[in-house]
Amino acid sequence: MRDTPSRLDSLDAFRGFTIAAMVLVNNPGDWGNLYSQLEHAKWHGWTFTDTIFPFFLFIGGVSMALSLGRLAALGADKPQLLLKLARRACLIFLIGFLLNWIPRFDFDTVRIPGVLQRIALCTLLAAPIVVYCGWRMQLAIIALLLALYSALMLWYPVPGIGAGVLEPGQDFGAYIDRMLLDGHMWVQSKTWDPEGLVSTLPALCSQLFGVLAGRFLLSNLNRTEQIVWMLLAGLLCLWLGVILDAILMPINKSLWTPSYCLLMTGWALILFCAFFWLLDANPYRAVREAAARWAHPFKIYGMNALFIFALSGLLAKMLGFIKLTGADGSQVSLGRMLYAPLRDLPIGAVNSSLLHALLFNACMFAVAWVMWRRKWFVKV
């Protein structure tokens, strides 16, 4: 097994790219004026925005494999590893829950699922698989989970609706969420949640695909061979995703269908290979140093990704919640007031909205840069 470091420059840069993309798409000036690639697909299909969440899970899987591989090689106690990961998962879940709870502070209606909550659940479920299972068993578990999910979604008869209906709020996953999480789901739908319980099964597969990639990085193959094989695996996943889109279930982020899981894994592998070749595996020192310079801002972002994720979400909520009195005496949110000068620029509504997102991103990067300069790294 290769002595691969648990922290790769390429992985930090990929993580930073993903967090920057997340901040960009989550903070437009006007949700009614967006470039199509900067919003989620309405239902079936996908956009650039739909790649971000599975990239997080893939990156988390790679990190788990590298860190656990190093600890296992040092003879770490496996139950203690699981306990450590369980504590980490619980803390991530709590952070996500608190972000949903703020600023209403109402336990009766607070949304329980969420992005961080799903990451926590995937981490918790993946931990014993990573610690105790070899790569063949992990691959078998992925296949089993995707098959189980497909069977439930296509064949279980939802009361009053029937089997295999994949419309919003009518699928098997939405049925389970209504039974277990009624009143605590996504406020914009209320009858289903994009981070619901059942679709966490294929989301776990996205993380396990990252685990397999991380395990492969620990193999004795040289890095050029690793990149070639990972690129081929990425292309295979893209192909399988397109095939499953046609014959099984459509590509759908909210349902996290198997076709979506495989397609996004393919893109994650290809993009990670690009970062890996440029920053860690490139034999040409001049190219590697040049790549390190342009990727450095992404690395800064990636080294405090969870903190920036939480801070950006909290700040966005506060901008909408804090109300000020406008010139005409009406109440207007702080966010609307700050956006007003940008909205009036002669660049078009869509570009004004994008400019707001870019400036918000710049503010978050400034925070990340100060933390990096002071060597403040928030870990859970």
Side-chain angles (χ1 to χ4, degrees):
M1 179 177 287
R2 179 189 296 273
D3 184 20
T4 298
S6 60
R7 196 166 198 112
L8 295 170
D9 287 343
S10 52
L11 196 61
D12 277 333
F14 188 18
R15 185 185 294 108
F17 168 82
T18 305
I19 197 72
M22 183 278 297
V23 173
L24 179 72
V25 303
N26 281 357
N27 297 281
D30 181 358
W31 285 101
N33 289 285
L34 300 172
Y35 284 102
S36 60
Q37 291 298 313
L38 299 183
E39 60 179 331
H40 291 293
K42 300 303 181 185
W43 189 242
H44 297 322
W46 65 284
T47 66
F48 168 76
T49 301
D50 294 311
T51 68
I52 295 171
F53 196 176
F55 282 5
F56 274 126
L57 291 176
F58 178 87
I59 292 165
V62 175
S63 298
M64 285 182 72
L66 294 180
S67 61
L68 291 180
R70 178 176 58 85
L71 292 173
L74 295 173
D77 181 74
K78 290 182 178 179
Q80 286 299 318
L81 286 180
L82 291 180
L83 182 60
K84 180 180 179 181
L85 287 170
R87 289 171 177 165
R88 182 174 188 270
C90 290
L91 183 55
I92 293 173
F93 189 98
L94 179 61
I95 293 170
F97 180 81
L98 290 175
L99 285 174
N100 286 352
W101 190 48
I102 297 170
R104 302 294 179 185
F105 303 104
D106 185 358
F107 282 114
D108 293 332
T109 60
V110 63
R111 182 190 177 201
I112 294 176
V115 171
L116 290 181
Q117 293 90 314
R118 171 162 284 180
I119 291 174
L121 285 176
C122 288
T123 299
L124 186 65
L125 295 171
I129 300 172
V130 176
V131 170
Y132 290 108
C133 298
W135 71 268
R136 291 181 181 85
M137 181 59 71
Q138 289 176 17
L139 195 58
I141 290 172
I142 290 172
L144 179 63
L145 289 175
L146 292 179
L148 174 62
Y149 174 81
S150 300
L152 292 171
M153 294 292 285
L154 295 176
W155 297 336
Y156 187 92
V158 176
I161 297 174
V165 180
L166 302 179
E167 296 304 316
Q170 300 183 52
D171 61 275
F172 173 76
Y175 165 63
I176 295 298
D177 288 341
R178 285 194 296 274
M179 282 201 305
L180 301 178
L181 301 172
D182 189 33
H184 297 279
M185 291 183 285
W186 190 39
V187 68
Q188 295 185 44
S189 67
K190 298 183 179 173
T191 60
W192 60 277
D193 198 290
E195 279 78 52
L197 294 172
V198 176
S199 57
T200 298
L201 295 178
L204 171 61
C205 295
S206 294
Q207 182 142 347
L208 291 176
F209 275 124
V211 170
L212 289 173
R215 288 178 64 96
F216 188 64
L217 291 173
L218 295 170
S219 71
N220 290 322
L221 292 176
N222 67 58
R223 288 182 167 180
T224 300
E225 291 177 302
Q226 288 177 342
I227 289 172
V228 170
W229 283 110
M230 284 193 294
L231 281 174
L232 289 174
L235 292 172
L236 176 62
C237 287
L238 291 179
W239 179 74
L240 289 174
V242 172
I243 294 297
L244 292 182
D245 174 62
I247 68 173
L248 186 67
M249 279 188 276
I251 294 166
N252 187 303
K253 185 264 179 188
S254 294
L255 300 178
W256 214 287
T257 53
S259 55
Y260 172 78
C261 173
L262 285 162
L263 188 80
M264 293 300 114
T265 297
W267 285 122
L269 279 165
I270 290 170
L271 190 55
F272 173 65
C273 283
F275 278 107
F276 186 54
W277 184 81
L278 286 170
L279 297 174
D280 291 305
N282 197 303
Y284 304 104
R285 181 177 177 181
V287 175
R288 194 167 63 248
E289 289 177 349
R293 285 193 293 272
W294 66 256
H296 191 59
F298 290 141
K299 283 185 60 182
I300 292 174
Y301 244 149
M303 296 180 80
N304 271 304
L306 179 60
F307 179 83
I308 295 298
F309 186 107
L311 177 64
S312 65
L314 180 61
L315 181 58
K317 282 198 167 192
M318 291 299 99
L319 289 176
F321 182 75
I322 297 173
K323 304 294 184 181
L324 300 174
T325 303
D328 59 355
S330 62
Q331 292 288 304
V332 61
S333 70
L334 177 59
R336 291 290 91 191
M337 185 170 290
L338 293 175
Y339 178 56
L342 301 179
R343 186 183 57 225
D344 296 335
L345 293 175
I347 57 177
V350 173
N351 290 323
S352 294
S353 182
L354 175 60
L355 180 58
H356 179 277
L358 291 171
L359 291 173
F360 192 98
N361 221 327
C363 291
M364 291 299 98
F365 176 76
V367 173
W369 182 84
V370 170
M371 295 179 71
W372 171 77
R373 286 285 294 178
R374 294 180 177 272
K375 294 182 170 52
W376 294 343
F377 302 116
V378 179
K379 300 181 184 296
V380 297

